[in-house]
């Protein structure tokens, strides 16, 4: 299996801003129309610094997600691709958990855990 770390698959969008033995913090930026390659996220806290509208996809399952700025939402461990389908850039921070707390990506999990 290829390396599906988002910093490797999409370095133009993801960058590591902090890392220790417990967490890794990623900053994510994109522009309208940008799309990511397949990548994996462990259990993470996502903090939205801008509002955004995205389409996430895995194995033919598609979900649209729209969040406003200044939200903190749980992102369960998952594998997906994403595309900015909005009219504004996306800017988020992801606090990824490590070790047993990282979880294992499961089928059916797609996007943040929000109502």
């Amino acid at each position: 299996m290829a390396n599906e770390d988002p910093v490797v698959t999409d370095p133009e969008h993801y960058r590591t801003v902090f890392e220790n033995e417990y967490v890794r913090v990623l900053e994510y930026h994109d522009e309208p129309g940008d799309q990511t390659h397949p990548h994996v996220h462990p259990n993470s806290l996502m903090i939205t610094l801008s509002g955004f509208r995205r389409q996430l996809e895995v194995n033919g399952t598609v979900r649209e997600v729209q969040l406003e700025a200044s939200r903190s939402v749980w992102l369960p461990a998952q594998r997906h691709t994403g595309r900015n389908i909005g009219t504004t850039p996306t800017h988020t921070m992801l606090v990824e958990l490590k070790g047993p707390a990282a979880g294992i990506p499961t089928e059916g999990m797609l996007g943040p855990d929000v109502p």
Side-chain angles (χ1 to χ4, degrees):
M1 176 190 278
N3 187 338
E4 292 185 312
D5 180 339
V7 175
V8 173
T9 63
D10 296 285
E12 67 278 15
H13 298 297
Y14 288 95
R15 75 179 183 98
T16 302
V17 296
F18 176 84
E19 186 168 12
N20 66 19
E21 64 187 288
Y22 306 108
V23 299
R24 177 172 76 161
V25 180
L26 302 181
E27 183 174 23
Y28 177 82
H29 285 276
D30 74 12
E31 296 292 328
D34 286 351
Q35 183 164 338
T36 61
H37 298 90
H39 60 275
V40 172
H41 293 287
N43 286 328
S44 306
L45 176 67
M46 180 171 60
I47 302 147
T48 62
L49 301 177
S50 70
F52 63 83
R53 187 166 163 241
R54 307 187 63 68
Q55 183 179 53
L56 303 174
E57 183 174 355
V58 66
N59 298 328
T61 300
V62 177
R63 178 179 177 201
E64 286 191 18
V65 176
Q66 185 167 343
L67 289 171
E68 62 275 1
S70 301
R71 291 280 309 268
S72 296
V73 297
W74 184 248
L75 185 71
Q78 60 191 268
R79 178 182 188 272
H80 64 233
T81 62
R83 183 166 54 99
N84 182 335
I85 58 173
T87 58
T88 61
T90 303
H91 188 195
T92 65
M93 301 294 284
L94 293 156
V95 181
E96 300 181 331
L97 302 181
K98 291 184 171 184
I104 298 170
T106 57
E107 292 294 321
M109 204 45 66
L110 190 57
D113 187 12
V114 293

